[in-house]
Amino acid sequence: MAEQDQTLKQTPLHALHVALGARMVPFAGYDMPVQYPAGVLKEHLHTREKAGLFDVSHMGQAFLSGDDPARALERLTPADVAGLNEGRQRYGLLLNERGTIRDDFMFSRLLGESALYLVVNAGTKDGDFAYIAEQLDGIATLEPRPDRALLALQGPAAAAVLARHAPGIDRLSFMKVVRATVAGAPAIVSRSGYTGEDGFEISIDAIHAERVANALLGEPEVLPIGLGARDSLRLEAGLCLYGHDIDETTDPVEANLVWSIAKRRKIAKDFPAAEAIMDRLFHGAPRKRVGIRPDGRAPAREGAEIADKSGRVIGKITSGGFGPSLNAPIAMGYVETAFAGDGTELDLIVRGKPLAARVVPLPFVPHRYRRAL
């Protein structure tokens, strides 16, 4: 373990996590907090009720510049990048040449700036950055920014808390982004997150990270939150975890992420493997990502087989666990499309035994984004 620890990277908040008593685990090549002394259950419920602070500095941040970085990026994603207004952020899928998902990511156009600001997943960032740089060589320039930290403040009290350190930031609405000053540090702040709650993501120079984190943790509504609660929150929100619910074996149609393909791009069919993806969109994919509620108390974990009531295997769980807000087990997985309708009765094969379950709509817990103020 000691040798393994030496190879793990650390975020700028590593010393703070240790000082706060976090239990640290390897994750995406980093030594990251999985939980603090309060425990996963309390961290989860506290975020739903007040506010939680997450260290997501392990994720990849970069700027894409050039004559027209938006048009350049559209070579790799079906999202409407060119149509993104200044001060706005959007979710996108990074596709490979087969039309399956290399990664999901966020992109932003800051007010008065030509470069796009990108955030990609931690475990894929090196490959993503190399792929983007290679594919857009000569037409756009990617500048990774490992010198920046990224914090997420999530929960119904997040706006009031952050406004104490960045006056007026509470007037920002969902998926808007702005340069601001947070606790005295220059920052890029977006009203977004991956918990289903109202909240913000705050990008700052690494040298300011610990001071800003301590300022936010000093507020009575805020607890530090580890990877354990981060995962249960995003699962309740029905959001995909890259490498589990989506990867290079899944396409946007079967993943139920068609909404991320812009109407203009569907008409133009000018994104990777557009013909194949549009064919699936109109004629249907053989399988589909769905939400699943086991009838009992036993959770089904990733990899558990899904069977129809005759015992035939029709799919597999990709994320599963206990939903603290629901006080019940929940899961997501892929099933043959004929079994994807809400209310369909299924069996989950756990330790060789069938457990009754049913398909339910996503999300499990309603999103509480502040879409309009």
Side-chain angles (χ1 to χ4, degrees):
M1 178 62 82
E3 183 177 352
Q4 185 182 30
D5 286 346
Q6 290 173 6
T7 66
L8 294 174
K9 291 181 278 191
Q10 298 179 355
T11 75
L13 294 179
H14 186 271
L16 179 60
H17 298 316
V18 173
L20 290 171
R23 182 160 71 85
M24 307 297 287
V25 299
F27 180 80
Y30 284 80
D31 193 30
M32 296 293 292
V34 66
Q35 68 176 78
Y36 297 86
V40 174
L41 182 64
K42 184 172 181 180
E43 291 172 25
H44 179 113
L45 295 174
H46 185 90
T47 303
R48 291 267 184 250
E49 294 166 2
K50 295 182 180 177
L53 185 69
F54 304 72
D55 179 12
V56 287
S57 303
H58 56 314
M59 299 185 76
Q61 301 181 67
F63 289 91
L64 185 69
S65 60
D67 291 339
D68 193 343
R71 291 290 181 186
L73 188 59
E74 286 194 350
R75 296 183 178 213
L76 308 179
T77 177
D80 181 6
V81 188
L84 184 67
N85 291 328
E86 290 186 350
R88 300 288 302 188
Q89 184 181 55
R90 191 165 285 165
Y91 174 89
L93 297 175
L94 187 64
L95 300 181
N96 61 27
E97 68 281 357
R98 302 187 309 278
T100 56
I101 303 170
R102 283 189 62 99
D103 199 6
D104 58 344
F105 70 110
M106 303 296 291
F107 58 94
S108 305
R109 188 192 295 274
L110 289 156
L111 186 65
E113 300 182 26
S114 58
L116 298 172
Y117 168 60
L118 312 181
V119 179
V120 304
N121 282 299
T124 54
K125 64 181 176 184
D126 292 340
D128 286 353
F129 289 161
Y131 180 73
I132 293 170
E134 178 188 358
Q135 294 294 315
L136 304 186
D137 184 33
I139 58 174
T141 301
L142 186 78
E143 181 192 7
R145 294 298 301 269
D147 56 321
R148 296 188 72 85
L150 191 63
L151 308 177
L153 184 66
Q154 301 282 293
V161 167
L162 192 58
R164 293 172 204 151
H165 301 274
I169 202 72
D170 51 329
R171 292 195 292 271
L172 206 65
S173 59
F174 182 59
M175 296 301 271
K176 287 194 172 180
V177 59
V178 67
R179 286 193 184 271
T181 299
V182 178
I188 297 172
V189 180
S190 62
R191 195 155 192 169
S192 61
Y194 219 61
T195 62
E197 291 295 324
D198 181 29
F200 300 84
E201 292 196 345
I202 307 158
S203 170
I204 48 179
D205 286 341
I207 56 173
H208 300 302
E210 188 165 324
R211 182 174 58 78
V212 172
N214 275 321
L216 297 174
L217 289 170
E219 300 293 345
E221 300 96 330
V222 182
L223 278 184
I225 309 297
L227 294 172
R230 183 180 181 225
D231 192 53
S232 56
L233 287 159
R234 74 90 199 162
L235 178 56
E236 285 187 345
L239 301 171
C240 293
L241 179 62
Y242 193 82
H244 300 262
D245 307 299
I246 52 175
D247 56 26
E248 293 202 62
T249 70
T250 56
D251 69 37
V253 180
E254 59 193 5
N256 253 337
L257 296 173
V258 172
W259 56 267
S260 70
I261 306 175
K263 181 180 178 181
R264 171 176 64 83
R265 309 297 307 281
K266 291 176 187 171
I267 295 171
K269 297 182 181 176
D270 60 350
F271 53 87
E275 292 287 350
I277 290 173
M278 294 305 293
D279 182 71
R280 284 198 164 193
L281 182 58
F282 285 114
H283 297 101
R287 62 176 187 160
K288 211 168 183 182
R289 179 175 63 92
V290 296
I292 296 172
R293 286 285 299 268
D295 285 353
R297 299 285 295 172
R301 304 293 181 183
E302 179 181 357
E305 291 182 326
I306 305 169
D308 67 10
K309 300 307 283 188
S310 73
R312 185 174 69 86
V313 174
I314 57 166
K316 187 172 287 187
I317 296 296
T318 52
S319 287
F322 191 76
S325 306
L326 302 166
N327 192 29
I330 53 176
M332 290 196 298
Y334 286 83
V335 297
E336 293 176 9
T337 301
F339 297 88
D342 292 340
T344 301
E345 295 185 349
L346 308 166
D347 282 329
L348 307 179
I349 310 303
V350 178
R351 297 188 183 92
K353 296 181 179 178
L355 301 179
R358 64 191 185 284
V359 175
V360 298
L362 292 172
F364 298 102
V365 173
H367 295 166
R368 297 199 289 185
Y369 307 134
R370 298 297 300 274
R371 297 185 184 279
L373 298 176

